[in-house]
Amino acid sequence: MNAYVTMPLAFQGLPEEEMKAQALRFLETMRTRRTVRDYSDRPVPREIIEAAVATAGTAPSGANQQPWTFVCISDPQIKRKIREGAEEEERAFYAGRAGEEWLGALAHLGTDEHKPFLDTAPWLIAIFAQRWGYDAEGRKVKHYYVPESVGIAAGFLIASLHQAGLATLTHTPAPMNFLNELCGRPDNEKALILLVVGYPAEGCVVPAIGKKPLEEIASFL
Ligand code: IYR
C-alpha cells in the first residue's frame, strides 16, 4: 500500500464569462475534427507527437496506475509491416468475418481492406493497454478500469493532435495481436487503437455524416 500524502491544489479559477467563452471555443474547435482516411506524406515534427502523448499521460486513470503505453512509429519499414499485418486481418474481415450486419453498419463510411494510410501518414501511434503491471520485485500487479482509463487518455491524445492542426484516424484492425511483436510490447499489453496521425491529402473528402445534437445525447435532471 502506498501512503496517502497530500499537497496544495494548483487550481486556476476563471470568471464565469471566461468559462463560457472557453467552453464554447473548445466546442467549436472540436466540431471541426473529422476522421481522415486519406493522408499526405508531409512530415510532422516529433515534438508535436511528444507533446500530444504527454497530454494523454495527464489523463485520470484507475488508482492512478496509468496503464498505457504509446508506441510512436515513423520508421517507414515498421509502418509497412503494420500495413501488411493490418491488411491481412482486414481482408478476412471484409471477406466475411465481420458478418452482414457489421458490414452494413459500416457501409456509409466507405471503408475497405485497403489501408494505404498506414504507409503514407507520417506517424502511427499504437495505443496499448497494460492489462496488469509488475512491481519492483517482478510480481504481477492488478490494474483497475483499464479500458476506461486508456479510452480517456486516447481522447486527450486525439483532442491534442486536433488542436495542434493535425488529422487523426482511430484505426482498429482486429485482432491487433500482430502489433505486440512489431512494436516490441510484452504479453501483458493489448493494443486497443492504432492512431493514424498526419495531414489530410490534397483534395481529401470525408463521409457526409454528422454528430447527434445535444438533446439526443444528454438529459438534465
Ligand atoms: N477495422 C475495419 C472496420 C471498421 C470498423 C469500425 I466499428 C469502423 O468504425 C470503421 C472500420 C477498418 O478499419 O476498415
Side-chain angles (χ1 to χ4, degrees), residues 14-28:
L14 290 175
E16 240 175 57
E17 283 312 307
E18 190 59 24
M19 292 167 71
K20 287 180 208 163
Q22 289 269 30
L24 289 173
R25 237 186 332 263
F26 191 59
L27 172 60
E28 285 317 310

Side-chain angles (χ1 to χ4, degrees), residues 128-149:
F128 287 86
Q130 299 169 359
R131 291 179 291 177
W132 63 86
Y134 295 99
D135 67 14
E137 281 75 47
R139 284 180 299 242
K140 274 191 182 185
V141 176
K142 189 167 163 46
H143 280 169
Y144 301 92
Y145 296 101
V146 172
E148 292 86 346
S149 303

Side-chain angles (χ1 to χ4, degrees), residues 46-67:
R46 175 171 159 157
E47 289 71 22
I48 300 171
I49 303 300
E50 288 180 351
V53 172
T55 302
T58 69
S61 61
N64 194 37
Q65 286 168 321
Q66 305 165 59

Side-chain angles (χ1 to χ4, degrees), residues 112-123:
D112 61 23
E113 66 273 31
H114 303 293
K115 305 299 177 191
F117 50 76
L118 296 174
D119 264 337
T120 321
W123 289 96

Side-chain angles (χ1 to χ4, degrees), residues 66-87:
Q66 305 165 59
W68 42 61
T69 305
F70 299 89
V71 179
C72 308
I73 303 138
S74 61
D75 182 315
Q77 281 170 5
I78 304 177
K79 286 196 297 179
R80 167 57 55 93
K81 286 193 180 130
I82 289 177
R83 177 179 177 183
E84 285 166 4
E87 287 187 332

Side-chain angles (χ1 to χ4, degrees), residues 37 90 93-94 102 106 109 111-113 115 117 169-174:
R37 292 189 167 81
E90 298 292 279
F93 179 89
Y94 285 97
W102 196 349
L106 294 178
L109 299 180
T111 55
D112 61 23
E113 66 273 31
K115 305 299 177 191
F117 50 76
L169 162 63
T170 47
H171 182 43
T172 51

Side-chain angles (χ1 to χ4, degrees), residues 86 88-100 102-103 173-175:
E88 194 178 319
E89 298 298 350
E90 298 292 279
R91 272 193 295 274
F93 179 89
Y94 285 97
R97 195 171 62 205
E100 291 281 300
W102 196 349
L103 291 180

